[in-house]
Amino acid sequence: MKGNKRGLRSIFLSLVGTMVIPLVVGCSSGLSGSPSNQPLDVAKPKTGGTITVAYPTEPDTLDAHGRTEAGLLFAYHLGGTLLYKDSATQEIKPSLAKEYKISVDGKKITFTIRSGITMHDGTPVTAKTFKETFDRALNPDTQAMTASSFLDGVISVKAPDDQTLILELKAPAPYMLFNLTNPVLQPLSLKAIEKYGADYGRHPVGVGPWKFESWVPGQGVTLSRNDAFQWGEPYFENQGPPRADKLVLKTIIDVQSRLAALESGSIDVATEIPTRYIQKYRNNPKYQVIERMKDGTGTFLSINLRNPMFQDVQVRKALNMLVNKEAIIQSVLQGEGQVANVPLSPTALGYDKSVEEYGYKYNVEEAKKLFDATGWKLNEEGIREKDGKTLTLTLLSSDIYNKAAQLIQSMLGEAGIKVTIQNLELMSELDAGMKGNFDLMFLESSYEDPDNLYYSFHSSQIGGYNFGAVNDSKLDTMLEKGHTTYDLEARKQAYAEVQKQIIEQAYTIPLYYDKQFTVVNSRVKGVKQIDNLRLEFNDSWVDR
């Protein structure tokens, strides 16, 4: 099946465009990120106070069905989800749903909605609430690019009574369960949408621990504690109302300005801090550094198999051996990353740890031998040549990969491969990639489910996000099993086999998995990083 290209674009943009969501692969050690120099919170949590958070993006709406990820960054604090992911077991469990059942053919998921849950405006949450929300997301007039992509494959939404919600699917879709853990699919108040119309995004109503209070352009969004909240996720220590009175969300685009605001005390939490600034705060007891491995695929190079030279697996293997990933991590990430052997995060469901053993190792001399054996030999100018054609490659890149691109250009150049870097704006890079106008191309996705691999490598996705035009019937069969199997262990096994095939055939050049960093003033306790998108403050309190 063809992917929803417009919607899936958000999956590939989420890491590199804003604070990252979709398409968004889990944390390295449990639900919260790993806090550095974080003192043990032995004091009793206090109530009251305000927590101020700064993000590098400016929302255009607080409607979860908005067209940008920036708005969702702010809006997710207002909502809840049908399901949640248990990071310890990687199981998908009920949240606003009391339970769910999957039909024998896998094409129908039936949810029982919890009773006693209310929207911020007092409206009871029922199955009809979710039906109205999902129907709105699927309506093309809403232009809910991200939300609709997370419902791709749904053919109907039914609510036969207040507690029963039924999703009917085109085909078995285990990834749908993961999608329903994402706050882009939080229930919305149709009452509020009808009341405010086009201005709903300035007057959002949800079910979450925080409710909307005000939005002053240039100053931020203020949320207040939802005193009626009693349905926190099981991983919350505090499943009732938040401890702080207010949560203020500001936009400070420049990272140095964000850190200056943190140091001055005008904000408490600075998000998306680049690696080069982190050491200063790690060694300072005034701050806590929350760090976690990013979800998704990590950063990798897609190899365009439309190029005849790349039909030879030995050439693809040789390219892998020429890339010194450790050197890239040291230079680009200041050592704060992990070598990637496959385009799937170590935190993802089904990640096969054995890939760390059989992935390609940096070995220039062996790579040169492979090139020689395949007929690509050095000419008088020191460039590899075969049948009168030189080995000249175009590396498609964008600004965020500048340093890595230059390093790869140099590494391949040492073996006689001439690399031309074509630097494009991100959207233009993706468009060029879909058209096949490249030899090598930087990619990354933050979508957490291993179905990432289906969209990236299944032959049905050629012309979509199978940028490299991989067409491998054996791999397709493996991917289809993972794409349609609900059984957790069977999915893990299917995707373990997928990873092995991708490596054996050297369809891509995995580079690294990098981290995300958030710096918190130590007066604020209990901040948790749930995934690439979500910082949770329900357990947080202000030590005043």
Side-chain angles (χ1 to χ4, degrees), residues 181-305:
T181 71
N182 195 288
V184 73
L185 297 180
Q186 63 181 275
L188 304 181
S189 169
L190 188 64
K191 176 182 174 182
I193 292 169
E194 291 174 344
K195 176 179 179 180
Y196 294 108
D199 290 331
Y200 170 75
R202 295 272 170 173
H203 304 276
V205 174
V207 299
W210 303 97
K211 57 185 180 181
F212 178 76
E213 182 175 302
S214 64
W215 183 357
V216 180
Q219 295 185 35
V221 174
T222 298
L223 309 179
S224 59
R225 178 175 55 229
N226 177 12
D227 289 318
F229 187 76
Q230 294 292 338
W231 41 87
E233 303 285 21
Y235 55 79
F236 286 177
E237 295 171 16
N238 167 36
Q239 295 187 11
R243 291 162 175 151
D245 292 329
K246 296 182 186 296
L247 183 65
V248 177
L249 311 175
K250 291 181 174 290
T251 297
I252 304 179
I253 296 172
D254 178 69
V255 63
Q256 292 183 335
S257 298
R258 222 154 49 245
L259 290 173
L262 179 72
E263 293 177 9
S264 72
S266 60
I267 66 170
D268 301 301
V269 182
T271 66
E272 289 210 63
I273 304 303
T275 307
R276 63 183 178 275
Y277 297 102
I278 291 304
Q279 197 58 39
K280 170 183 177 182
Y281 298 96
R282 274 189 178 142
N283 298 325
N284 191 330
K286 294 180 180 179
Y287 304 98
Q288 306 161 44
V289 175
I290 299 175
E291 60 184 77
R292 66 186 297 280
M293 199 69 71
K294 288 180 181 177
D295 298 332
T297 59
T299 300
F300 66 100
L301 292 179
S302 178
I303 300 174
N304 191 352
L305 270 66

Side-chain angles (χ1 to χ4, degrees), residues 76-148:
Y76 80 79
H77 293 287
L78 302 167
T81 55
L82 270 175
L83 308 174
Y84 81 97
K85 180 181 177 182
D86 184 325
S87 68
T89 65
Q90 295 187 316
E91 294 176 287
I92 304 298
K93 297 182 176 180
S95 181
L96 296 181
K98 181 179 179 181
E99 62 181 5
Y100 67 90
K101 296 178 181 179
I102 301 165
S103 63
V104 175
D105 65 3
K107 295 182 181 181
K108 183 167 72 174
I109 308 175
T110 302
F111 302 88
T112 301
I113 306 303
R114 287 169 61 177
S115 59
I117 298 172
T118 57
M119 308 292 289
H120 297 152
D121 61 4
T123 305
V125 173
T126 66
K128 183 181 178 183
T129 309
F130 284 98
K131 172 176 169 52
E132 291 169 345
T133 298
F134 294 170
D135 284 347
R136 179 177 186 257
L138 290 167
N139 186 339
D141 293 340
T142 308
Q143 299 183 39
M145 184 176 74
T146 302
S148 63

